[in-house]
Amino acid sequence: MADIVVLFDFDKTIIDCDSDNWVVDELGLTDRFNELLPTMPWNSLVDKMMGELHASGITIEEIEDVLNRAPIHPRIVPAIKSIHALGCDLRVVSDANLFYIETILNHLGIRECFSEINTNPGFVDEEGRLRISPYHDFKSSFHGCGLCPLNMCKGVVIERIQASLSAEGKQKRFIYLGDGAGDYCPSLKLLEGDFMMPRKNYPVWDLIRRNPMLLKAEIREWTDGEEMERVLFELIDTIITEEEIESGQLISSDCKLQNIALSAHEALLPALPVPQ
């Protein structure tokens, strides 16, 4: 199953909130954030909020504590651990930032499940202030996509991953999971044989529904962590079956799913508790 690449958005896909809003709201800057939102790009505004939090005495440890309380469906962590144990290549493609994402993934015990995190840089400077910068330096150059925000085009990220794997001579099948409008562009970059998993009743699902024929990938929606887990296993089973048919090594679907479930179960022992 090393031929399967699973690409996750982060906010409202892995965790059940927007991490930027979560930190701002939990630390009491909601009104200030909303006041400045019409005046600057989102990514730049988040960096400014981090500066104001630092100036008010909020420490990095306090920000980490807030991040570690971010809501998450109880089936997400087991699902990620399972598909990683099965040999899938897991990557994050997110418009959050590296500090937020790594803090939460480390807290959940699943950082090592991901081979790559593609997101806006986030780091703590020498003064102990969290700095957030754009994935694309839009002040010096434009990524050229009219569908995506200035700071990050996820479609460009997908094309880079596709080109890198192709250059290595690797034939991969992609499964992409996302919820936001920023996940629409990468969905258009997926190829025939890939799968797009939009979260139902979220912006990317609405955009795809307007003209699903624009996508080459097969569309499989999901609503919550439980359904995400189920659909992921079904798609992995589908890909394995198709590859076995091509290679002439087809085994029964019941046996295959039983083996997948057994591998997943073994991978989760001992399972880490999921924060509520």
Side-chain angles (χ1 to χ4, degrees):
M1 271 169 283
D3 291 337
I4 302 173
V5 180
V6 186
L7 303 167
F8 287 87
D9 177 37
F10 187 72
D11 292 336
K12 300 181 182 178
T13 298
I14 291 180
I15 61 173
D16 239 346
C17 67
D18 180 282
S19 55
D20 290 330
N21 288 130
W22 176 257
V23 171
V24 167
D25 294 345
E26 290 292 300
L27 293 176
L29 280 181
T30 305
D31 291 343
R32 177 64 171 158
F33 186 89
N34 291 336
E35 173 192 345
L36 295 176
L37 183 56
T39 69
M40 63 181 68
W42 182 284
N43 186 250
S44 303
L45 178 55
V46 174
D47 180 65
K48 181 174 180 59
M49 292 297 98
M50 294 305 104
E52 295 197 5
L53 288 172
H54 179 68
S56 69
I58 298 296
T59 66
I60 290 299
E61 290 73 22
E62 288 174 288
I63 295 174
E64 289 175 334
D65 181 62
V66 167
L67 290 168
N68 291 339
R69 300 198 307 266
I72 181 171
H73 190 282
R75 293 311 308 166
I76 296 293
V77 169
I80 287 173
K81 286 186 174 183
S82 296
I83 60 176
H84 173 258
L86 290 169
C88 296
D89 178 3
L90 278 60
R91 308 185 188 207
V92 172
V93 184
S94 168
D95 197 7
N97 68 75
L98 187 62
F99 182 84
Y100 285 5
I101 294 172
E102 288 199 321
T103 296
I104 292 173
L105 294 183
N106 281 323
H107 176 70
L108 295 172
I110 53 175
R111 171 61 184 91
E112 69 279 2
C113 294
F114 295 90
S115 66
E116 183 179 67
I117 297 177
N118 302 274
T119 189
N120 299 296
F123 67 95
V124 181
D125 67 15
E126 63 279 1
E127 298 178 354
R129 177 217 198 276
L130 180 57
R131 300 306 309 253
I132 310 298
S133 55
Y135 182 84
H136 300 296
D137 184 3
F138 57 84
K139 293 182 179 179
S140 63
S141 63
F142 176 49
H143 52 60
C145 176
L147 296 174
C148 294
L150 292 174
N151 64 288
M152 186 177 194
C153 173
K154 294 185 181 182
V156 169
V157 176
I158 299 306
E159 289 179 326
R160 177 190 58 76
I161 295 172
Q162 290 170 328
S164 174
L165 293 173
S166 178
E168 295 174 6
K170 298 176 181 178
Q171 299 297 319
K172 300 286 187 177
R173 302 280 293 278
F174 285 70
I175 303 173
Y176 188 104
L177 300 93
D179 70 283
D183 297 308
Y184 182 62
C185 176
S187 75
L188 299 175
K189 307 298 182 182
L190 298 174
L191 305 176
E192 187 174 349
D194 294 336
F195 293 93
M196 176 62 192
M197 288 181 58
R199 190 168 188 178
K200 188 176 180 180
N201 296 323
Y202 280 72
V204 71
W205 182 78
D206 291 330
L207 289 168
I208 289 172
R209 281 207 310 161
R210 293 177 187 177
N211 192 347
M213 299 304 294
L214 292 177
L215 274 68
K216 297 177 183 177
E218 184 177 331
I219 302 163
R220 291 290 303 276
E221 62 189 31
W222 59 283
T223 57
D224 58 20
E226 183 175 356
E227 189 170 23
M228 175 202 287
E229 180 182 46
R230 178 180 60 78
V231 173
L232 270 173
F233 273 101
E234 288 175 357
L235 296 184
I236 291 169
D237 177 54
T238 295
I239 293 171
I240 296 170
T241 299
E242 291 175 356
E243 291 178 349
E244 288 172 347
I245 291 173
E246 291 179 2
S247 66
Q249 298 178 347
L250 182 64
I251 62 176
S252 75
S253 179
D254 288 344
C255 180
K256 180 160 63 271
L257 285 173
Q258 192 174 45
N259 290 338
I260 289 174
L262 178 61
S263 298
H265 176 71
E266 291 173 346
L268 293 173
L269 296 176
L272 292 177
V274 178
Q276 299 300 317

